[in-house]
Amino acid sequence: RCSGVLNGKDILISFNGWEFFRREPWHMPPGRITDMLYPLGTSVANTDSVPLLALALKPFDRVLPDCFQYFGFFFVISAVLTGGFAALVMNEVSESWAYRLLGTALLTWQGTFPSYDHPGRASFYWLSFASIWLYLRAERRSWSRRELYLWLLFIALGAGSNPYVCASVLAFCIAGLVRRWWPDRVATLLQTTIRFS
């Protein structure tokens, strides 16, 4: 019925997860899908359907077209963010414009083209680059609440796109917060522990 999804490159599990989720009534917890993998059911997070967008668009199911999908939009946004954060990472590690340009191009290529058919992988690269950037950026700055808020934002975006992405960003966050205690020594062990809680 929806054979033209993404110009013929159907993301079957992700698209089917979104289709089942959008047509069911709301359940608890909110991302639950009861009709898919019946009788056990599953969650929209387990289908790589970008739960954040699926939850935001579900209330508009009645006005959306039958074969509506948001994966192409998500891939474009992810590609732009991958390039942007790759450039920020290269800005932190090199002063040579040639290395920055080459590094940004290679990181963007690696983070964009292998993931064109997998929404979870698309968000993995730009959120990983964002986490690496925030980790490296901490070298030349003292601790601030803004840094903690950025970590929390990246974790929330990771949780809203894919459970594995969330785990990866959380690992970067832990490394970043521990680093502020040692070796940077801009926060005490107690302050670092409080920020984890």
Side-chain angles (χ1 to χ4, degrees), residues 84 113 171:
F113 293 100

Side-chain angles (χ1 to χ4, degrees), residues 15-146:
F15 182 70
N16 286 338
W18 157 244
E19 280 290 304
F20 273 95
F21 179 67
R22 72 181 282 196
R23 298 181 192 286
E24 281 193 17
W26 287 98
H27 300 287
M28 289 303 292
R32 181 146 174 75
I33 306 172
T34 56
D35 289 342
M36 190 175 190
L37 301 178
Y38 184 82
L40 298 175
T42 187
S43 167
V44 71
N46 295 334
T47 63
D48 275 336
S49 301
V50 192
L52 196 63
L53 291 177
L55 288 165
L57 292 170
K58 182 177 173 67
F60 306 101
D61 176 50
R62 292 184 185 271
V63 297
L64 294 174
D66 275 348
C67 290
F68 176 81
Q69 54 84 22
Y70 47 82
F71 301 116
F73 169 77
F74 183 72
F75 286 134
V76 170
I77 295 298
S78 293
V80 170
L81 289 170
T82 297
F85 281 111
L88 289 172
V89 167
M90 291 308 301
N91 191 49
E92 294 293 331
V93 299
S94 177
E95 294 183 3
S96 165
W97 68 267
Y99 285 132
R100 287 180 187 176
L101 185 62
L102 180 61
T104 299
L106 290 174
L107 289 174
T108 303
W109 176 271
Q110 175 60 30
T112 302
F113 293 100
S115 60
Y116 73 96
D117 62 346
H118 196 288
R121 195 179 305 147
S123 60
F124 172 78
Y125 284 102
W126 74 261
L127 278 168
S128 294
F129 293 156
S131 300
I132 292 168
W133 164 72
L134 188 54
Y135 181 89
L136 294 173
R137 180 176 175 266
E139 270 185 15
R140 48 196 176 78
R141 297 177 185 273
S142 60
W143 173 261
S144 68
R145 284 185 186 268
R146 184 176 174 215

